[in-house]
Amino acid sequence: MKRVDESVFRLDGRVAVVTGGAGGICSAICRAYANVGAKVACLDYDGEAAQALAASIREAGGEAIGLACDVSDEQATLAAVQNIKQQLGAPTVLLNGAAVLDRTGSILEIDPQEWQRVMSVNLTGVYLMSRAVLPEMIAAGGGSIIHLASMHGRVGRAGRVSYTTAKAALIMLAQNMAMDHADDGVRVNSLSPGAVATRRITYRYGENAQEQLKAAAQKYLMKRFADPDEMVGAALFLASDASSYMTGADLLVDGGYCAA
């Protein structure tokens, strides 16, 4: 039996940019990328948290920098990419993970300012960051872009109108970018997790809502929420040469929610 060439999962010498890098899922992804040889730029609105994560990666033997970046600000994204290029080199991997916490409510309950804030970060921020990175990535010979979407980009959820709309748009944005930039050597895919045990869950259900959390988990075939580390393998796959023939796709990692 032919052995799998594990080197296809390596990111040696590649510069990986992760937005929302200090968050629960994305911090695990930053560490994983560094563990397989990438030079990692951890970007987050909370610059101190991004710098602390980068420092912990360096202490573990990896190479990383942490930068403050508001992805909804075009000039901030352009400046961040130039900073990354100067310190690490041209980006060849981009994982767009920045997202704000959204309040539960219908369109009658979510005011225009709340709606716009979610769209500005969760959707327009991906557009702006991709737009800032793409010229450098193309000049470097290509790379991989990953939009962190959600299973709720495929199936609706009552009271999550802004979140689900933005995540559905990310899946289509990845498809269109894949079409536009295949000839540039750039692959673009989306990654759609199910519920992951991060602060978004405690924000949604509250710190002590154990019965609600237990009931919500029963909607998944695996009867539980994911750990952030369970998203790492999919994010590494999409960034690496292991997915070299994959573009314009949405990788669903949802514990069986959409199949139930």
Side-chain angles (χ1 to χ4, degrees):
M1 183 171 63
K2 187 176 180 180
R3 293 175 59 87
V4 174
D5 181 1
E6 296 179 1
S7 68
V8 297
F9 291 97
R10 299 286 306 177
L11 298 177
D12 296 296
R14 303 186 196 187
V15 176
V17 180
V18 180
T19 71
I25 296 174
C26 290
S27 62
I29 291 171
C30 285
R31 295 181 192 280
Y33 283 175
N35 285 341
V36 295
K39 295 180 284 186
V40 181
C42 312
L43 273 57
D44 201 278
Y45 188 79
D46 184 343
E48 291 185 1
Q51 291 167 11
L53 173 62
S56 71
I57 290 172
R58 292 194 298 270
E59 288 170 6
E63 188 171 356
I65 61 171
L67 299 173
C69 184
D70 178 356
V71 297
S72 68
D73 181 332
E74 181 181 13
Q75 294 308 311
T77 62
L78 291 169
V81 170
Q82 289 308 306
N83 196 338
I84 293 163
K85 185 179 178 181
Q86 291 170 7
Q87 294 195 58
L88 300 178
T92 49
V93 174
L94 169 63
L95 186 134
N96 286 304
V100 296
L101 296 173
D102 59 295
R103 191 169 61 87
T104 301
S106 71
I107 61 169
L108 297 178
E109 297 160 325
I110 300 299
D111 65 42
Q113 290 75 27
E114 291 175 293
W115 169 272
Q116 189 56 50
R117 179 57 180 160
V118 172
M119 294 301 157
S120 293
V121 176
N122 295 20
L123 180 56
T124 302
V126 173
Y127 157 79
L128 291 174
M129 199 70 217
S130 298
R131 197 166 188 267
V133 164
L134 266 168
E136 303 297 342
M137 186 178 286
I138 292 168
S144 174
I145 296 177
I146 305 151
H147 302 335
L148 191 61
S150 168
M151 66 182 188
H152 286 306
R154 296 188 180 203
V155 292
R157 173 76 186 276
R160 301 297 305 283
V161 61
S162 54
Y163 179 84
T164 58
T165 300
K167 293 300 186 180
L170 288 184
I171 294 172
M172 186 55 65
L173 178 61
Q175 290 184 17
N176 278 273
M177 286 177 61
M179 293 176 184
D180 290 338
H181 298 291
D183 289 344
D184 297 319
V186 176
R187 298 185 297 107
V188 188
N189 296 287
S190 54
L191 169 58
S192 289
V196 181
T198 65
R199 71 188 184 106
R200 186 175 292 276
I201 292 294
T202 55
Y203 173 83
R204 184 68 47 202
Y205 291 96
E207 294 286 349
N208 301 308
Q210 296 304 314
E211 290 304 315
Q212 280 184 283
L213 289 169
K214 185 176 179 180
Q218 297 308 301
K219 298 176 182 178
Y220 297 79
L221 295 183
M222 293 186 173
K223 309 301 182 188
R224 63 178 178 83
F225 296 147
D227 182 86
D229 285 336
E230 291 182 290
M231 297 300 122
V232 162
L236 177 55
F237 170 70
L238 291 175
S240 71
D241 290 343
S243 60
S244 60
Y245 196 58
M246 187 173 180
T247 194
D250 180 51
L251 183 56
L252 184 65
V253 187
D254 71 340
Y257 183 97
C258 290

